[in-house]
Amino acid sequence: MVGEEGVYRAEENECLPSTEFGWKIDPVGLRTTLRRLYAHAHMPLLITENGMGARDLLEDDGHVHDSYRIDYYAKHLKQAALAIQDGVELMGYCPWSFMDLVSTHQGYQKRYGFVYINRDEKDLKDMKRIPKDSFYWYRDVIQTNGESLIQSK
């Protein structure tokens, strides 16, 4: 079974790419789900958690180059925009998450945030907060109210 027994059960789809931790990446599925939920509930929707966990590395240049996360969010936000064009009332999108956090199963090996926390499982290091490439990209998406997404087609 794919999933966590007693919590959820995922369907396997060999046509979809996966993260290194086995989570499927399905931006079109997000749009489909938004449309179905809205058709059922006829209420505004809010995406409360959407993101990608990965083994982000602090490079020798002092930066985290997470182009995979930028690609993930760009595709999901574009599909959310299409859902809005389809008539879905989407009142918000909350990425998961702003800064790295402890993953339930993989600790600090799996990182989600736009901001890297310089630490690992056994060593707190200096706990410095380092904005990743995705931080600056998402800041631009917000500042342009999504126009930068349209320009990056």
Side-chain angles (χ1 to χ4, degrees):
M1 180 176 94
V2 176
E4 193 166 329
E5 192 171 349
V7 179
Y8 68 93
R9 182 174 172 173
E11 291 294 325
E12 191 59 40
N13 184 337
E14 298 300 325
C15 297
L16 294 174
S18 298
T19 69
E20 65 182 300
F21 292 99
W23 288 85
K24 294 296 181 184
I25 300 172
D26 189 6
V28 174
L30 175 66
R31 179 183 180 189
T32 302
T33 300
L34 290 169
R35 289 174 53 141
R36 287 182 181 171
L37 286 170
Y38 188 73
H40 176 76
H42 303 288
M43 296 175 65
L45 301 174
L46 171 66
I47 298 171
T48 58
E49 291 182 16
N50 181 249
M52 174 189 188
R55 288 184 209 276
D56 296 335
L57 299 175
L58 184 59
E59 301 290 342
D60 291 338
D61 65 3
H63 297 282
V64 176
H65 304 293
D66 58 342
S67 59
Y68 42 86
R69 183 170 288 107
I70 293 169
D71 182 63
Y72 176 93
Y73 278 118
K75 288 177 179 175
H76 282 79
L77 287 168
K78 286 176 183 177
Q79 289 298 317
L82 289 172
I84 292 169
Q85 289 177 12
D86 296 338
V88 172
E89 288 183 73
L90 183 60
M91 63 179 165
Y93 178 94
C94 302
W96 187 254
S97 69
F98 175 72
M99 64 183 172
D100 289 340
L101 49 93
V102 178
S103 169
T104 306
H105 299 292
Q106 287 87 20
Y108 271 97
Q109 294 175 53
K110 184 194 247 183
R111 295 174 179 266
Y112 291 90
F114 292 123
V115 176
Y116 183 89
I117 310 276
N118 190 31
R119 66 154 299 170
D120 62 32
E121 260 34 81
K122 298 182 187 310
D123 185 357
L124 294 179
K125 300 183 180 182
D126 62 5
M127 300 280 287
K128 184 175 180 181
R129 273 61 170 166
I130 302 165
K132 301 175 189 179
D133 289 352
S134 60
F135 171 91
Y136 298 105
W137 173 84
Y138 194 61
R139 180 185 65 184
D140 189 49
V141 169
I142 293 168
Q143 287 177 338
T144 65
N145 197 27
E147 287 299 316
S148 61
L149 285 172
I150 296 166
Q151 295 167 3
S152 67
K153 283 186 178 180

